[in-house]
Amino acid sequence: MKIAEGVYLHFIKSNKFKTNHIKVRFTGKRDKRTLARRALVAQMLESVNSIYSTQQAFRQELARLYGASFSTSISTRGLSHMVDINISFVKESFLMSGDSILDSLLSFLEAALFHPLVSVAQYKPKQFDIEKQNLINSLVADLEDPYYASDLAVRELYFGDTVLKYSKYGNPELIKKEDSYTVFQEFQRMLQQDRIDIFVLGEVEDYRVIQKVNHFPLEDRKSSPQFSVEHQFTNITREKIERRDTHQTILNLAYHLPVTYGSDDYFALLLVNGLLGGYAHSKLFTNVREKAGLAYTIASQYDVSTQYLKIYAGIDRENRQRTLRLINQQLSSIRLGKFSKREIEQTKKMLVNQARIAEDYLDSLMELRYNKEIYGEQALELEEWLQKINTVGKKDMMRVAQQLKLQALYILEGQ
């Protein structure tokens, strides 16, 4: 349902869950200049506003609404940056008193969106500075994790000096440059220019939501988010080794992935990743970790929206060359078709089970609806998706594996 041009309201009926859920998603451009600002907007949205001007008042109101939860989250897809508000609340049919909390929660949402805690076109500095420091502290703590730090490092090698190298939160240096004025102005721009999707999942009276949301001051906007990016392959493999005082050495290998969402190769990619390092029966897990005993942890991950596939492993420093050789052998075995029909069927079974289980998670249901909205016919219904998976054969998997080309190698060597 279109509320305004670029603003959409989606109802997902379900009686699977004991709670109802509302997600408000702002989708804008993934830009180095605004990553940190949008991350700070998310911090402010879930802390205070002019109606509930302290964190205590904010949380007390949620407690009064039978323990409703109100949080924010951030994600990226291609050249798009998403800021979500997530609300969860008990179904009114479970309330013995017959209370109606839907209207109160929508008013609470309205306060967060349209009544921020401001002073002269900027967030009130005292509360803003607290949230800014909290975010900086969180990101600095994340960088202490060698896996997180090495992931950022290999992304920088792979994507070079582009916005794709950054975390969805930006980084501490970018955040330090922002102030209460720049962040508040970014929030106003989001309200006026971002694509906005409001998802309501569960059992609610639609007309009550429509009536309330129609009164939100959201005007038409022209928004055309870019959900994929074509990364250019080069013949140069970028390599970097750094050292840190940690007991593990972390290997990260990044491969160019020329596959687009919804294409025939996309479904073959799902099987390639599953067989390579996505599951416990995968070649990396069974041959490198279990049989050779070379890795504490090892897996592969892909991001089709940025044409990126990564293999990572935590190992002992002296096993570096042996592990790299064995990793290359596992990918080569898939390229050459050295895997059995049983392995294919086992991987398909894992994918099918994962897809069916996803239908039991509210976040998955909302993401499936979002995919349908932004990808159209490319976003298949479950049964069509399963049919596509089942038609993938060995030659399809070999073809996709042969397209994977190593683009970056980063080693965080333990001392």
Side-chain angles (χ1 to χ4, degrees), residues 149-164:
S150 61
D151 178 67
L152 290 180
V154 76
R155 291 185 67 86
E156 184 170 355
L157 281 180
Y158 184 87
F159 292 113
D161 192 23
T162 71
V163 68
L164 299 176

Side-chain angles (χ1 to χ4, degrees), residues 19 47 95 139 150 152 171 175 191 202 218 221 237 264 283 293 316 358 378-379 412:
T19 51
S47 58
L95 302 180
L139 294 183
S150 61
L152 290 180
N171 60 33
I175 292 166
L191 285 169
L218 296 170
R221 74 278 317 280
T237 300
D264 288 340
K283 289 185 173 294
D316 290 327
Q378 288 181 307
L412 183 62

Side-chain angles (χ1 to χ4, degrees), residues 104 132 134 143 159 162 183 196 204 219 231 242 244 279 292 308 316 320 324 340 349 409:
S104 296
K132 178 179 176 178
N134 286 343
L143 289 170
F159 292 113
T162 71
V183 174
I196 299 178
V204 300
E219 300 179 352
H231 184 71
E242 293 183 313
R244 178 185 285 198
Y279 298 113
Y308 175 79
D316 290 327
R320 187 176 79 191
L324 287 171
S340 66
K349 183 178 179 181
L409 170 63

Side-chain angles (χ1 to χ4, degrees), residues 178-191:
E178 303 301 336
D179 57 38
S180 59
Y181 177 80
T182 61
V183 174
F184 178 70
Q185 295 307 312
E186 178 63 23
F187 179 43
Q188 296 310 296
R189 192 201 60 77
M190 290 166 60
L191 285 169

Side-chain angles (χ1 to χ4, degrees), residues 50-62:
S50 64
I51 308 299
Y52 306 101
S53 58
T54 66
Q55 288 199 1
Q56 182 181 9
F58 192 95
R59 297 304 165 192
Q60 281 180 342
E61 177 62 11
L62 290 173

Side-chain angles (χ1 to χ4, degrees), residues 132 135-136 139-140 143 169-177:
K132 178 179 176 178
L135 183 57
I136 291 172
L139 294 183
V140 169
L143 289 170
Y169 305 103
N171 60 33
E173 288 69 35
L174 291 174
I175 292 166
K176 288 174 184 177
K177 294 177 181 178

Side-chain angles (χ1 to χ4, degrees), residues 192-209:
Q192 296 165 11
Q193 298 181 23
D194 272 20
R195 174 187 172 122
I196 299 178
D197 291 88
I198 304 171
F199 301 90
V200 183
L201 183 149
E203 295 178 289
V204 300
E205 295 174 325
D206 296 1
Y207 77 91
R208 291 167 60 194
V209 179

